[in-house]
Amino acid sequence: SGNSLLVQFDSCPLWVIRAMLIKEYRVCMPLTVEEYRVGQLYMIAKHSHEQTQHGEGVEVVHNEERRHPVHGVGQYTEKKIHLSSRLPSWVRAAVPKIFYVTEKAWNFYPLTLTEYTCSFVPRLTIEIRTRYEDNNGCTENALSLSVEEVQQREVDCVDIAYDTFPEKHYVREEDCRHFKSKKTGRGPLKPDWQSDTEPIMCSYKVVKVHFGVWGLQTRVESFIHRSIRDILLVGHRQAFAWIDSWHGELTC
């Protein structure tokens, strides 16, 4: 159902399911939450266009207003994302060429709920709950996790300026240690910039990975989390480095 993020494994034997892997990524940005929203829309549009040009794009299945019993009125979107060429070789060898990921997203900004499922691996589900706050990542339970979930989670603070960066994605003009915005005067970001930068906001992302296939759980889940972290790092660096292209634009 489009109104639920519940995942059921009725067809999956209990002995193949182990403890859920939960990570909370905290990504600070030298922006306000409202500025981030504009930058996020710009980034989505830009990357969707680039993917289409490369022959692997995003197919929008649903895009409509929905009412959530807790969060009120928001926007529900369902997309098919064709990404087969981006998979690692050991996965590509096992999946068909017509391969896509389904994204279901509920946007109640500054809260979003997103679920990913795979056309070829029906027992793989990724749930991402995100909240954006105007602070430097100091909220200990921004997404109201249960006591059990807090005990299970691993907090990973992503530094857009100083974390190890995938060499294949490195562009000096997007290096936050050197970039300075002409429009806003923000940057470059110095060591420990999160402690004294104004404005500052944080994207809190709780990621839950479910993979009910015995023997591949650890490998697949590790690959997924490495990929998610790289995507967060690259995407947020670009969002700041491209600020002069989107800052001051309207959200509508």
Side-chain angles (χ1 to χ4, degrees), residues 153-183:
R153 76 172 175 184
E154 175 186 331
V155 175
D156 186 344
C157 296
V158 178
D159 187 335
I160 64 170
Y162 291 92
D163 276 1
T164 301
F165 194 73
E167 187 175 344
K168 63 181 179 180
H169 295 302
Y170 181 80
V171 178
R172 181 175 172 79
E173 291 75 18
E174 297 171 0
D175 192 328
C176 302
R177 298 171 299 177
H178 307 296
F179 170 75
K180 184 177 180 66
S181 166
K182 294 178 181 178
K183 271 191 179 181

PDB file of all heavy atoms in Angstrom, residues 153-183:
ATOM      1  N   ARG A 153      21.197   0.918  16.447  1.00  0.00           N
ATOM      2  CA  ARG A 153      21.690   1.801  15.391  1.00  0.00           C
ATOM      3  C   ARG A 153      23.178   2.111  15.551  1.00  0.00           C
ATOM      4  O   ARG A 153      23.743   2.071  16.646  1.00  0.00           O
ATOM      5  CB  ARG A 153      20.909   3.116  15.383  1.00  0.00           C
ATOM      6  CG  ARG A 153      21.320   4.037  16.494  1.00  0.00           C
ATOM      7  CD  ARG A 153      20.724   5.430  16.417  1.00  0.00           C
ATOM      8  NE  ARG A 153      21.125   6.160  17.611  1.00  0.00           N
ATOM      9  CZ  ARG A 153      20.720   7.381  17.902  1.00  0.00           C
ATOM     10  NH1 ARG A 153      19.886   8.018  17.103  1.00  0.00           N
ATOM     11  NH2 ARG A 153      21.142   7.977  19.012  1.00  0.00           N
ATOM     12  N   GLU A 154      23.771   2.436  14.426  1.00  0.00           N
ATOM     13  CA  GLU A 154      25.142   2.951  14.387  1.00  0.00           C
ATOM     14  C   GLU A 154      25.084   4.353  13.802  1.00  0.00           C
ATOM     15  O   GLU A 154      24.571   4.540  12.698  1.00  0.00           O
ATOM     16  CB  GLU A 154      26.015   2.053  13.505  1.00  0.00           C
ATOM     17  CG  GLU A 154      27.426   2.559  13.309  1.00  0.00           C
ATOM     18  CD  GLU A 154      28.202   1.710  12.316  1.00  0.00           C
ATOM     19  OE1 GLU A 154      27.903   0.515  12.212  1.00  0.00           O
ATOM     20  OE2 GLU A 154      29.097   2.268  11.634  1.00  0.00           O
ATOM     21  N   VAL A 155      25.568   5.359  14.541  1.00  0.00           N
ATOM     22  CA  VAL A 155      25.550   6.739  14.069  1.00  0.00           C
ATOM     23  C   VAL A 155      26.814   7.009  13.260  1.00  0.00           C
ATOM     24  O   VAL A 155      27.928   6.709  13.698  1.00  0.00           O
ATOM     25  CB  VAL A 155      25.445   7.734  15.240  1.00  0.00           C
ATOM     26  CG1 VAL A 155      25.545   9.176  14.743  1.00  0.00           C
ATOM     27  CG2 VAL A 155      24.134   7.532  15.995  1.00  0.00           C
ATOM     28  N   ASP A 156      26.628   7.562  12.060  1.00  0.00           N
ATOM     29  CA  ASP A 156      27.740   7.851  11.153  1.00  0.00           C
ATOM     30  C   ASP A 156      27.629   9.318  10.733  1.00  0.00           C
ATOM     31  O   ASP A 156      26.722   9.698   9.987  1.00  0.00           O
ATOM     32  CB  ASP A 156      27.654   6.936   9.926  1.00  0.00           C
ATOM     33  CG  ASP A 156      28.861   7.074   9.005  1.00  0.00           C
ATOM     34  OD1 ASP A 156      29.607   8.062   9.126  1.00  0.00           O
ATOM     35  OD2 ASP A 156      29.045   6.194   8.134  1.00  0.00           O
ATOM     36  N   CYS A 157      28.532  10.165  11.236  1.00  0.00           N
ATOM     37  CA  CYS A 157      28.533  11.590  10.889  1.00  0.00           C
ATOM     38  C   CYS A 157      29.350  11.802   9.612  1.00  0.00           C
ATOM     39  O   CYS A 157      30.559  11.512   9.583  1.00  0.00           O
ATOM     40  CB  CYS A 157      29.105  12.418  12.030  1.00  0.00           C
ATOM     41  SG  CYS A 157      28.092  12.338  13.537  1.00  0.00           S
ATOM     42  N   VAL A 158      28.694  12.271   8.580  1.00  0.00           N
ATOM     43  CA  VAL A 158      29.326  12.451   7.267  1.00  0.00           C
ATOM     44  C   VAL A 158      29.799  13.897   7.143  1.00  0.00           C
ATOM     45  O   VAL A 158      29.001  14.829   7.258  1.00  0.00           O
ATOM     46  CB  VAL A 158      28.333  12.113   6.136  1.00  0.00           C
ATOM     47  CG1 VAL A 158      28.976  12.339   4.771  1.00  0.00           C
ATOM     48  CG2 VAL A 158      27.829  10.678   6.272  1.00  0.00           C
ATOM     49  N   ASP A 159      31.105  14.078   6.925  1.00  0.00           N
ATOM     50  CA  ASP A 159      31.693  15.416   6.789  1.00  0.00           C
ATOM     51  C   ASP A 159      31.921  15.696   5.307  1.00  0.00           C
ATOM     52  O   ASP A 159      32.777  15.070   4.672  1.00  0.00           O
ATOM     53  CB  ASP A 159      33.018  15.483   7.559  1.00  0.00           C
ATOM     54  CG  ASP A 159      33.609  16.889   7.606  1.00  0.00           C
ATOM     55  OD1 ASP A 159      33.317  17.700   6.709  1.00  0.00           O
ATOM     56  OD2 ASP A 159      34.391  17.157   8.542  1.00  0.00           O
ATOM     57  N   ILE A 160      31.154  16.636   4.734  1.00  0.00           N
ATOM     58  CA  ILE A 160      31.227  16.891   3.288  1.00  0.00           C
ATOM     59  C   ILE A 160      32.564  17.475   2.861  1.00  0.00           C
ATOM     60  O   ILE A 160      32.902  17.441   1.671  1.00  0.00           O
ATOM     61  CB  ILE A 160      30.087  17.816   2.823  1.00  0.00           C
ATOM     62  CG1 ILE A 160      30.207  19.203   3.464  1.00  0.00           C
ATOM     63  CG2 ILE A 160      28.727  17.197   3.118  1.00  0.00           C
ATOM     64  CD1 ILE A 160      29.251  20.238   2.872  1.00  0.00           C
ATOM     65  N   ALA A 161      33.340  17.991   3.806  1.00  0.00           N
ATOM     66  CA  ALA A 161      34.619  18.609   3.454  1.00  0.00           C
ATOM     67  C   ALA A 161      35.818  17.690   3.680  1.00  0.00           C
ATOM     68  O   ALA A 161      36.747  17.667   2.863  1.00  0.00           O
ATOM     69  CB  ALA A 161      34.808  19.904   4.242  1.00  0.00           C
ATOM     70  N   TYR A 162      35.811  16.917   4.759  1.00  0.00           N
ATOM     71  CA  TYR A 162      37.039  16.237   5.172  1.00  0.00           C
ATOM     72  C   TYR A 162      36.967  14.712   5.208  1.00  0.00           C
ATOM     73  O   TYR A 162      37.970  14.072   5.505  1.00  0.00           O
ATOM     74  CB  TYR A 162      37.502  16.783   6.530  1.00  0.00           C
ATOM     75  CG  TYR A 162      37.989  18.206   6.393  1.00  0.00           C
ATOM     76  CD1 TYR A 162      37.121  19.273   6.581  1.00  0.00           C
ATOM     77  CD2 TYR A 162      39.303  18.485   6.024  1.00  0.00           C
ATOM     78  CE1 TYR A 162      37.553  20.584   6.417  1.00  0.00           C
ATOM     79  CE2 TYR A 162      39.746  19.780   5.863  1.00  0.00           C
ATOM     80  CZ  TYR A 162      38.872  20.833   6.060  1.00  0.00           C
ATOM     81  OH  TYR A 162      39.315  22.125   5.874  1.00  0.00           O
ATOM     82  N   ASP A 163      35.831  14.123   4.901  1.00  0.00           N
ATOM     83  CA  ASP A 163      35.777  12.666   4.829  1.00  0.00           C
ATOM     84  C   ASP A 163      36.500  12.170   3.584  1.00  0.00           C
ATOM     85  O   ASP A 163      36.593  12.882   2.576  1.00  0.00           O
ATOM     86  CB  ASP A 163      34.321  12.184   4.793  1.00  0.00           C
ATOM     87  CG  ASP A 163      33.729  12.072   6.185  1.00  0.00           C
ATOM     88  OD1 ASP A 163      34.436  12.391   7.158  1.00  0.00           O
ATOM     89  OD2 ASP A 163      32.557  11.669   6.302  1.00  0.00           O
ATOM     90  N   THR A 164      37.018  10.937   3.659  1.00  0.00           N
ATOM     91  CA  THR A 164      37.655  10.321   2.500  1.00  0.00           C
ATOM     92  C   THR A 164      36.656  10.279   1.350  1.00  0.00           C
ATOM     93  O   THR A 164      35.514   9.835   1.512  1.00  0.00           O
ATOM     94  CB  THR A 164      38.124   8.893   2.831  1.00  0.00           C
ATOM     95  OG1 THR A 164      39.041   8.967   3.928  1.00  0.00           O
ATOM     96  CG2 THR A 164      38.795   8.249   1.629  1.00  0.00           C
ATOM     97  N   PHE A 165      37.090  10.755   0.199  1.00  0.00           N
ATOM     98  CA  PHE A 165      36.178  10.940  -0.925  1.00  0.00           C
ATOM     99  C   PHE A 165      36.514   9.974  -2.058  1.00  0.00           C
ATOM    100  O   PHE A 165      37.694   9.769  -2.361  1.00  0.00           O
ATOM    101  CB  PHE A 165      36.286  12.385  -1.421  1.00  0.00           C
ATOM    102  CG  PHE A 165      35.189  12.804  -2.351  1.00  0.00           C
ATOM    103  CD1 PHE A 165      33.911  13.030  -1.872  1.00  0.00           C
ATOM    104  CD2 PHE A 165      35.432  12.952  -3.705  1.00  0.00           C
ATOM    105  CE1 PHE A 165      32.893  13.413  -2.719  1.00  0.00           C
ATOM    106  CE2 PHE A 165      34.423  13.333  -4.561  1.00  0.00           C
ATOM    107  CZ  PHE A 165      33.145  13.566  -4.068  1.00  0.00           C
ATOM    108  N   PRO A 166      35.504   9.358  -2.701  1.00  0.00           N
ATOM    109  CA  PRO A 166      35.776   8.449  -3.832  1.00  0.00           C
ATOM    110  C   PRO A 166      36.527   9.184  -4.939  1.00  0.00           C
ATOM    111  O   PRO A 166      36.037  10.176  -5.488  1.00  0.00           O
ATOM    112  CB  PRO A 166      34.371   8.041  -4.295  1.00  0.00           C
ATOM    113  CG  PRO A 166      33.462   8.291  -3.126  1.00  0.00           C
ATOM    114  CD  PRO A 166      34.048   9.474  -2.414  1.00  0.00           C
ATOM    115  N   GLU A 167      37.716   8.718  -5.269  1.00  0.00           N
ATOM    116  CA  GLU A 167      38.572   9.415  -6.229  1.00  0.00           C
ATOM    117  C   GLU A 167      37.893   9.614  -7.582  1.00  0.00           C
ATOM    118  O   GLU A 167      38.064  10.649  -8.236  1.00  0.00           O
ATOM    119  CB  GLU A 167      39.878   8.633  -6.406  1.00  0.00           C
ATOM    120  CG  GLU A 167      40.907   9.352  -7.256  1.00  0.00           C
ATOM    121  CD  GLU A 167      42.224   8.607  -7.312  1.00  0.00           C
ATOM    122  OE1 GLU A 167      42.429   7.716  -6.464  1.00  0.00           O
ATOM    123  OE2 GLU A 167      43.034   8.907  -8.208  1.00  0.00           O
ATOM    124  N   LYS A 168      37.100   8.627  -8.006  1.00  0.00           N
ATOM    125  CA  LYS A 168      36.471   8.721  -9.333  1.00  0.00           C
ATOM    126  C   LYS A 168      35.458   9.856  -9.422  1.00  0.00           C
ATOM    127  O   LYS A 168      35.101  10.293 -10.528  1.00  0.00           O
ATOM    128  CB  LYS A 168      35.800   7.397  -9.693  1.00  0.00           C
ATOM    129  CG  LYS A 168      34.654   6.999  -8.779  1.00  0.00           C
ATOM    130  CD  LYS A 168      34.060   5.659  -9.191  1.00  0.00           C
ATOM    131  CE  LYS A 168      32.925   5.252  -8.256  1.00  0.00           C
ATOM    132  NZ  LYS A 168      32.335   3.931  -8.649  1.00  0.00           N
ATOM    133  N   HIS A 169      34.995  10.345  -8.261  1.00  0.00           N
ATOM    134  CA  HIS A 169      34.002  11.423  -8.254  1.00  0.00           C
ATOM    135  C   HIS A 169      34.622  12.779  -7.920  1.00  0.00           C
ATOM    136  O   HIS A 169      33.913  13.788  -7.890  1.00  0.00           O
ATOM    137  CB  HIS A 169      32.898  11.124  -7.226  1.00  0.00           C
ATOM    138  CG  HIS A 169      32.071   9.928  -7.549  1.00  0.00           C
ATOM    139  ND1 HIS A 169      31.350   9.797  -8.720  1.00  0.00           N
ATOM    140  CD2 HIS A 169      31.839   8.781  -6.851  1.00  0.00           C
ATOM    141  CE1 HIS A 169      30.714   8.647  -8.723  1.00  0.00           C
ATOM    142  NE2 HIS A 169      31.001   8.006  -7.603  1.00  0.00           N
ATOM    143  N   TYR A 170      35.937  12.805  -7.685  1.00  0.00           N
ATOM    144  CA  TYR A 170      36.546  14.044  -7.212  1.00  0.00           C
ATOM    145  C   TYR A 170      36.617  15.093  -8.321  1.00  0.00           C
ATOM    146  O   TYR A 170      37.077  14.839  -9.438  1.00  0.00           O
ATOM    147  CB  TYR A 170      37.953  13.800  -6.670  1.00  0.00           C
ATOM    148  CG  TYR A 170      38.596  15.068  -6.140  1.00  0.00           C
ATOM    149  CD1 TYR A 170      38.282  15.550  -4.879  1.00  0.00           C
ATOM    150  CD2 TYR A 170      39.492  15.785  -6.929  1.00  0.00           C
ATOM    151  CE1 TYR A 170      38.851  16.718  -4.397  1.00  0.00           C
ATOM    152  CE2 TYR A 170      40.070  16.961  -6.459  1.00  0.00           C
ATOM    153  CZ  TYR A 170      39.743  17.425  -5.192  1.00  0.00           C
ATOM    154  OH  TYR A 170      40.302  18.594  -4.726  1.00  0.00           O
ATOM    155  N   VAL A 171      36.138  16.305  -7.990  1.00  0.00           N
ATOM    156  CA  VAL A 171      36.248  17.477  -8.861  1.00  0.00           C
ATOM    157  C   VAL A 171      36.723  18.612  -7.972  1.00  0.00           C
ATOM    158  O   VAL A 171      36.066  18.947  -6.970  1.00  0.00           O
ATOM    159  CB  VAL A 171      34.886  17.842  -9.507  1.00  0.00           C
ATOM    160  CG1 VAL A 171      35.023  19.099 -10.359  1.00  0.00           C
ATOM    161  CG2 VAL A 171      34.351  16.676 -10.325  1.00  0.00           C
ATOM    162  N   ARG A 172      37.844  19.214  -8.313  1.00  0.00           N
ATOM    163  CA  ARG A 172      38.423  20.237  -7.427  1.00  0.00           C
ATOM    164  C   ARG A 172      37.452  21.388  -7.176  1.00  0.00           C
ATOM    165  O   ARG A 172      37.378  21.913  -6.059  1.00  0.00           O
ATOM    166  CB  ARG A 172      39.729  20.778  -8.017  1.00  0.00           C
ATOM    167  CG  ARG A 172      40.372  21.823  -7.093  1.00  0.00           C
ATOM    168  CD  ARG A 172      41.723  22.314  -7.549  1.00  0.00           C
ATOM    169  NE  ARG A 172      42.179  23.427  -6.732  1.00  0.00           N
ATOM    170  CZ  ARG A 172      42.724  23.331  -5.530  1.00  0.00           C
ATOM    171  NH1 ARG A 172      42.892  22.144  -4.984  1.00  0.00           N
ATOM    172  NH2 ARG A 172      43.107  24.407  -4.864  1.00  0.00           N
ATOM    173  N   GLU A 173      36.680  21.769  -8.197  1.00  0.00           N
ATOM    174  CA  GLU A 173      35.735  22.873  -8.046  1.00  0.00           C
ATOM    175  C   GLU A 173      34.623  22.553  -7.046  1.00  0.00           C
ATOM    176  O   GLU A 173      33.932  23.457  -6.571  1.00  0.00           O
ATOM    177  CB  GLU A 173      35.119  23.243  -9.400  1.00  0.00           C
ATOM    178  CG  GLU A 173      36.075  23.894 -10.382  1.00  0.00           C
ATOM    179  CD  GLU A 173      37.057  22.889 -10.995  1.00  0.00           C
ATOM    180  OE1 GLU A 173      36.774  21.658 -10.934  1.00  0.00           O
ATOM    181  OE2 GLU A 173      38.105  23.330 -11.521  1.00  0.00           O
ATOM    182  N   GLU A 174      34.450  21.265  -6.737  1.00  0.00           N
ATOM    183  CA  GLU A 174      33.433  20.841  -5.783  1.00  0.00           C
ATOM    184  C   GLU A 174      34.035  20.487  -4.422  1.00  0.00           C
ATOM    185  O   GLU A 174      33.336  19.986  -3.544  1.00  0.00           O
ATOM    186  CB  GLU A 174      32.665  19.633  -6.340  1.00  0.00           C
ATOM    187  CG  GLU A 174      31.902  19.946  -7.619  1.00  0.00           C
ATOM    188  CD  GLU A 174      31.325  18.702  -8.280  1.00  0.00           C
ATOM    189  OE1 GLU A 174      31.522  17.593  -7.733  1.00  0.00           O
ATOM    190  OE2 GLU A 174      30.689  18.833  -9.339  1.00  0.00           O
ATOM    191  N   ASP A 175      35.322  20.748  -4.243  1.00  0.00           N
ATOM    192  CA  ASP A 175      36.007  20.454  -2.986  1.00  0.00           C
ATOM    193  C   ASP A 175      35.667  21.545  -1.974  1.00  0.00           C
ATOM    194  O   ASP A 175      36.071  22.704  -2.131  1.00  0.00           O
ATOM    195  CB  ASP A 175      37.518  20.389  -3.220  1.00  0.00           C
ATOM    196  CG  ASP A 175      38.269  19.816  -2.035  1.00  0.00           C
ATOM    197  OD1 ASP A 175      37.805  20.028  -0.885  1.00  0.00           O
ATOM    198  OD2 ASP A 175      39.312  19.175  -2.243  1.00  0.00           O
ATOM    199  N   CYS A 176      34.903  21.182  -0.961  1.00  0.00           N
ATOM    200  CA  CYS A 176      34.411  22.167   0.010  1.00  0.00           C
ATOM    201  C   CYS A 176      35.523  22.790   0.854  1.00  0.00           C
ATOM    202  O   CYS A 176      35.303  23.796   1.526  1.00  0.00           O
ATOM    203  CB  CYS A 176      33.359  21.526   0.920  1.00  0.00           C
ATOM    204  SG  CYS A 176      31.949  20.852   0.031  1.00  0.00           S
ATOM    205  N   ARG A 177      36.715  22.206   0.819  1.00  0.00           N
ATOM    206  CA  ARG A 177      37.849  22.789   1.533  1.00  0.00           C
ATOM    207  C   ARG A 177      38.389  24.012   0.789  1.00  0.00           C
ATOM    208  O   ARG A 177      39.160  24.803   1.360  1.00  0.00           O
ATOM    209  CB  ARG A 177      38.968  21.755   1.696  1.00  0.00           C
ATOM    210  CG  ARG A 177      38.574  20.548   2.519  1.00  0.00           C
ATOM    211  CD  ARG A 177      39.639  19.478   2.451  1.00  0.00           C
ATOM    212  NE  ARG A 177      39.842  19.018   1.067  1.00  0.00           N
ATOM    213  CZ  ARG A 177      40.762  18.128   0.702  1.00  0.00           C
ATOM    214  NH1 ARG A 177      41.582  17.612   1.624  1.00  0.00           N
ATOM    215  NH2 ARG A 177      40.878  17.761  -0.558  1.00  0.00           N
ATOM    216  N   HIS A 178      38.025  24.146  -0.499  1.00  0.00           N
ATOM    217  CA  HIS A 178      38.538  25.247  -1.319  1.00  0.00           C
ATOM    218  C   HIS A 178      37.438  26.138  -1.894  1.00  0.00           C
ATOM    219  O   HIS A 178      37.688  27.299  -2.221  1.00  0.00           O
ATOM    220  CB  HIS A 178      39.364  24.684  -2.483  1.00  0.00           C
ATOM    221  CG  HIS A 178      40.440  23.732  -2.056  1.00  0.00           C
ATOM    222  ND1 HIS A 178      41.505  24.118  -1.263  1.00  0.00           N
ATOM    223  CD2 HIS A 178      40.608  22.405  -2.293  1.00  0.00           C
ATOM    224  CE1 HIS A 178      42.287  23.064  -1.032  1.00  0.00           C
ATOM    225  NE2 HIS A 178      41.766  22.019  -1.640  1.00  0.00           N
ATOM    226  N   PHE A 179      36.227  25.600  -2.005  1.00  0.00           N
ATOM    227  CA  PHE A 179      35.146  26.330  -2.662  1.00  0.00           C
ATOM    228  C   PHE A 179      34.651  27.509  -1.825  1.00  0.00           C
ATOM    229  O   PHE A 179      34.465  27.393  -0.613  1.00  0.00           O
ATOM    230  CB  PHE A 179      33.966  25.388  -2.934  1.00  0.00           C
ATOM    231  CG  PHE A 179      32.723  26.103  -3.378  1.00  0.00           C
ATOM    232  CD1 PHE A 179      32.611  26.604  -4.677  1.00  0.00           C
ATOM    233  CD2 PHE A 179      31.678  26.316  -2.490  1.00  0.00           C
ATOM    234  CE1 PHE A 179      31.467  27.286  -5.072  1.00  0.00           C
ATOM    235  CE2 PHE A 179      30.531  26.988  -2.884  1.00  0.00           C
ATOM    236  CZ  PHE A 179      30.427  27.478  -4.184  1.00  0.00           C
ATOM    237  N   LYS A 180      34.413  28.650  -2.486  1.00  0.00           N
ATOM    238  CA  LYS A 180      33.804  29.815  -1.846  1.00  0.00           C
ATOM    239  C   LYS A 180      32.672  30.315  -2.733  1.00  0.00           C
ATOM    240  O   LYS A 180      32.871  30.568  -3.925  1.00  0.00           O
ATOM    241  CB  LYS A 180      34.822  30.929  -1.625  1.00  0.00           C
ATOM    242  CG  LYS A 180      34.243  32.140  -0.874  1.00  0.00           C
ATOM    243  CD  LYS A 180      35.310  33.179  -0.610  1.00  0.00           C
ATOM    244  CE  LYS A 180      34.753  34.385   0.137  1.00  0.00           C
ATOM    245  NZ  LYS A 180      34.313  34.048   1.509  1.00  0.00           N
ATOM    246  N   SER A 181      31.488  30.434  -2.165  1.00  0.00           N
ATOM    247  CA  SER A 181      30.313  30.877  -2.915  1.00  0.00           C
ATOM    248  C   SER A 181      30.393  32.377  -3.195  1.00  0.00           C
ATOM    249  O   SER A 181      30.604  33.182  -2.295  1.00  0.00           O
ATOM    250  CB  SER A 181      29.045  30.560  -2.122  1.00  0.00           C
ATOM    251  OG  SER A 181      27.932  31.248  -2.656  1.00  0.00           O
ATOM    252  N   LYS A 182      30.190  32.743  -4.463  1.00  0.00           N
ATOM    253  CA  LYS A 182      30.185  34.164  -4.832  1.00  0.00           C
ATOM    254  C   LYS A 182      28.887  34.835  -4.388  1.00  0.00           C
ATOM    255  O   LYS A 182      28.878  36.007  -4.023  1.00  0.00           O
ATOM    256  CB  LYS A 182      30.357  34.305  -6.344  1.00  0.00           C
ATOM    257  CG  LYS A 182      31.709  33.842  -6.846  1.00  0.00           C
ATOM    258  CD  LYS A 182      31.817  33.955  -8.364  1.00  0.00           C
ATOM    259  CE  LYS A 182      33.172  33.468  -8.853  1.00  0.00           C
ATOM    260  NZ  LYS A 182      33.273  33.516 -10.336  1.00  0.00           N
ATOM    261  N   LYS A 183      27.787  34.085  -4.407  1.00  0.00           N
ATOM    262  CA  LYS A 183      26.491  34.654  -4.031  1.00  0.00           C
ATOM    263  C   LYS A 183      26.363  34.874  -2.525  1.00  0.00           C
ATOM    264  O   LYS A 183      25.844  35.890  -2.079  1.00  0.00           O
ATOM    265  CB  LYS A 183      25.352  33.726  -4.482  1.00  0.00           C
ATOM    266  CG  LYS A 183      24.836  33.977  -5.880  1.00  0.00           C
ATOM    267  CD  LYS A 183      23.559  33.183  -6.094  1.00  0.00           C
ATOM    268  CE  LYS A 183      22.971  33.414  -7.474  1.00  0.00           C
ATOM    269  NZ  LYS A 183      21.708  32.641  -7.662  1.00  0.00           N
TER     270      LYS A 183
END
